[in-house]
Every structure is written in C-alpha cells, then in structure tokens.
Amino acid sequence: MTTAAKIDIKSLQLPELDEKVRAFGEPLYRTRQIADWLYQKRVQSFDEMTDLPREFRKRLAEEFTFSKIEVVRLLGSRDTTRKILFRLADASLIESVLIPASPALYGSRSDRRTICVSTQVGCAYGCKFCASGLEGFSRNLKPNEIVDQIIAVERESGEKIDNIVFMGMGEPLANFDNLMSAIRIINAPWGLGIGARHITLSTSGLAPQIRKLAEEPLQVRLAISLHGATDQVRNQIMPINRRYNLETLLAACDYYGKRKKQRLTFEYILIDHVNDSPEQARHLGRIARRLGAKVNLIPYNTVHGLPWSRPSPEQQAQFLSILRASGVPATLRREKGHDIDAACGQLRLQTKRQLETAIS
Ligand code: SAH
Ligand code: SF4
C-alpha cells in the first residue's frame, strides 16, 4: 500500500478503531488507550504510545499514517489575534486564526478563546472580495487535517480552545463528509470534547447542503455569509448566488433554523459603495426579521491586489443603526486582526507570493 492511499489514524471514529483493534486480535480496551494517546496526551507518533505492545504499534504504523502539520509562520502576540500558517504533508499551505479571550466583564461567556479553522486548500467559490479564492481551489482537507489545526494551535499557544468557527480558508459545506467526520471527533468525549453549540460553521450559501446539515444529529451553529441583501448586489460579489439565489438560500436557512430550533447568524461584510447603502440595510433588516436571525456586521479587511475597501466609521454606524431600528439584533465587529491581515486566506497568499518571488 502506498502512503497516499493510507488513511490517517486521526480520521477514524471510535467504532472504526474498535474494528481495527479486533482485527489485530487485541483486547478492546486498546481502542480507548489509542484515543487517549491521540486526543488527551496528544503524542505525535505511534512509538510514543508506550502502553501498547511494540508489535501492535508496528502494525498500526504499517496500516495508518500519523499526520503532523508543521508551523511555518506565526503572527501576532498573546493578547491580539494570532495567525498561524501551516504546511501539510503534501506541502500545501493553510492557515488558522486564534482569537483571544476578551475580559469576562459581563459574565463568563466572553471569556473564550476561539479558533478559526480552514476546511479546504483554496476555495472554488470565487467571491470577489476574498483572498482565499484568488488562486482557485486545490483540494479538500482530510478529517485529520482539520482536527490537527486545533491540536497544533493549542500546543503552540499553550491555551485551551473553547470555541471553533469554520471560517478559515475554504467552503466548509463543499467538503461535507470530511467536515462531519472531523466535527464528530472534535465533539466526542473520547476526542477533543468540545460541545456542538461551541462549533459554528460558516457558508457562502450552498442551499442543498444546508438542508442536508439540518438532518445531521449534531447541533452545530450555522452562520450565513450574506454580504448582500438583494440578488442584484449578491450576484455582483458572490458567484454562488447565481446557482442558489437569495430566495432559495433563505428557504434553506428557514428550514435549518426551524429543524434545529436555532437562531441563525448572518455575516455581512461592509464594503464601501458595494453593499453599504441605507437601502441594503433596510432589505437586510427585513430578511433578518423574517428569519429571526441576528446580524454580524464586519468592516471589510483590505486584500492586497483587490480594489475594495471598508466604508467610513460614520457610514458603518449608520448601517448599524438602520438595522437596529428595524428590530434586528446586530453587532458591528471591530476587527481585532486587521493589522496582521486577519481576513481569511491572506497570510497564505502573502507567503506564497513571497516564496514565488524568492525562487523566480
Ligand atoms: N467559505 C465560508 C467560510 C470561510 S470565509 C464562507 O464564505 O462563509 C469566512 C468569512 O470571512 C466569510 O463571511 C467571508 O465572507 C469573510 N471574508 C472573506 N474575505 C474577507 C475580507 N477581506 N474581510 C472581511 N471578511 C472577509
Ligand atoms: Fe470561498 Fe468563503 Fe472566500 Fe467565498 S468568502 S471565496 S466561499 S472562502
């Protein structure tokens, strides 16, 4: 068997591990020992699993790969947003962002560390404002490559992560099966043990997959990258809208919200002269009210090489106040990572371009 065809040990669910343990003629308690080495003690090789018989470790190593992701660059410091660029086994670059806990001034909820995780190398959806899609799509991440980002960030930072958002590079719902496997491992008590309600998945609007997600037993939270409150505006900046228009998307969102008894979040980046008019604010208010959703406004982060910029603070405030006046719970996010190119895909793009310049 070639390495490429091997499954990674951190892509397996507990019953699949059980099956392997049984096939190797080992007692079933070995499964728990392995899971414990992987997700609690977090060793980085089969050799370190010292309470497993040497022969068994050898057979595991023959059958499975043991992925490691390598930290290439780390930007930011302890109380700012930190950005980590990783190199995968096939030399692909991906990035994760660690957003620090804010002081728990108003109760315990704010005292959380959040990691923003990538789900694909590149992105095929080509939103006009986004760095992740600029160089197209390379491949889906495997479940272990998704889980590894969290383990590596906890190791690098020495901090325990309480919240996960799939808002890094890639479209999570376009990598549905691998993402679900990863989420099961992240959520399981034998895995990373992070509650489903602390996991948020962001999508640019893959309506059929939103409905499919609604049938999954896990109560993950859903955020929709809306960025335009009419088809006319959305079509200009998000090609996905030509496949699933606003009405199709909203119907799927409504289905998800009702099925999961969950309040959705609409993300709305404010881009100067593109989607920030009072009229868009009023449309957005109507849509959010109809679905009982809340809105996160995010001032656009400039991407090198793209012509877009964020509106003035006054314009941002006006947009927010129109929304609030229509009775929608809305926040305006102050981008913590603006100074270190925190928008998704940017660090990778920058590093790739530097490398390309260096070797040309
Ligand atoms: N593909 C998914 C998840 C990854 S993008 C999605 O589109 O939802 C995560 C969020 O970052 C999305 O809301 C996306 O629109 C936003 N984003 C992309 N580029 C940005 C930029 N330059 N400034 C601010 N937000 C950006
Ligand atoms: Fe892909 Fe999301 Fe970026 Fe659109 S915003 S190109 S879907 S990562």
Side-chain angles (χ1 to χ4, degrees), residues 4 31 108 176 192 210 215 271 325 331:
T31 306
S108 60
F176 198 92
L192 299 185
I210 291 173
E215 307 310 328
I271 313 177
T331 54

Side-chain angles (χ1 to χ4, degrees), residues 102-305:
S102 31
L105 292 175
Y106 308 101
S108 60
R109 278 190 65 88
S110 56
D111 190 20
R112 301 207 159 274
R113 277 163 301 262
T114 300
I115 179 179
C116 175
V117 174
S118 292
T119 54
Q120 299 183 310
V121 183
C123 183
Y125 288 83
C127 301
K128 298 278 194 293
F129 47 80
C130 176
S132 291
L134 271 183
E135 299 206 331
F137 170 71
S138 305
R139 68 174 177 87
N140 282 327
L141 293 188
K142 302 270 171 41
N144 55 291
E145 292 169 326
I146 297 173
V147 174
D148 273 342
Q149 292 173 61
I150 301 162
I151 295 178
V153 166
E154 285 197 343
R155 183 182 300 129
E156 282 296 315
S157 67
E159 289 178 42
K160 173 91 185 76
I161 284 157
D162 337 78
N163 257 322
I164 298 183
V165 293
F166 290 101
M167 294 187 187
M169 195 188 313
E171 168 49 55
L173 291 184
N175 186 12
F176 198 92
D177 293 343
N178 288 350
L179 178 67
M180 288 306 133
S181 294
I183 290 179
R184 274 182 230 118
I185 295 169
I186 291 165
N187 178 242
W190 54 263
L192 299 185
I194 295 175
R197 288 182 179 280
H198 297 292
I199 302 174
T200 301
L201 196 155
S202 172
T203 179
S204 59
L206 276 62
Q209 280 84 342
I210 291 173
R211 289 177 183 272
K212 194 170 160 197
L213 186 68
E215 307 310 328
E216 289 283 328
L218 283 171
Q219 280 288 354
V220 291
R221 294 188 179 276
L222 187 62
I224 310 293
S225 291
L226 208 60
H227 310 332
T230 53
D231 280 323
Q232 198 247 335
V233 169
R234 225 171 170 261
N235 279 342
Q236 275 175 26
I237 52 179
M238 301 180 76
I240 182 79
N241 198 67
R242 293 177 191 271
R243 194 155 7 137
Y244 309 115
N245 67 15
L246 205 48
E247 204 39 57
T248 309
L249 171 60
L250 294 178
C253 291
D254 195 37
Y255 181 77
Y256 188 90
K258 292 211 168 95
R259 179 93 203 193
K260 297 283 187 193
K261 300 187 174 54
Q262 196 188 99
R263 183 196 276 275
L264 304 187
T265 304
F266 288 135
E267 296 161 88
Y268 197 98
I269 346 176
L270 289 169
I271 313 177
D272 195 30
H273 287 102
V274 173
N275 62 0
D276 60 340
S277 68
E279 195 203 345
Q280 283 292 301
R282 281 188 288 273
H283 280 296
L284 180 57
R286 262 196 297 279
I287 292 174
R289 247 197 348 265
R290 178 179 138 198
L291 291 188
K294 56 184 181 202
V295 177
N296 257 344
L297 298 176
I298 307 148
Y300 182 66
N301 265 325
T302 327
V303 175
H304 187 72

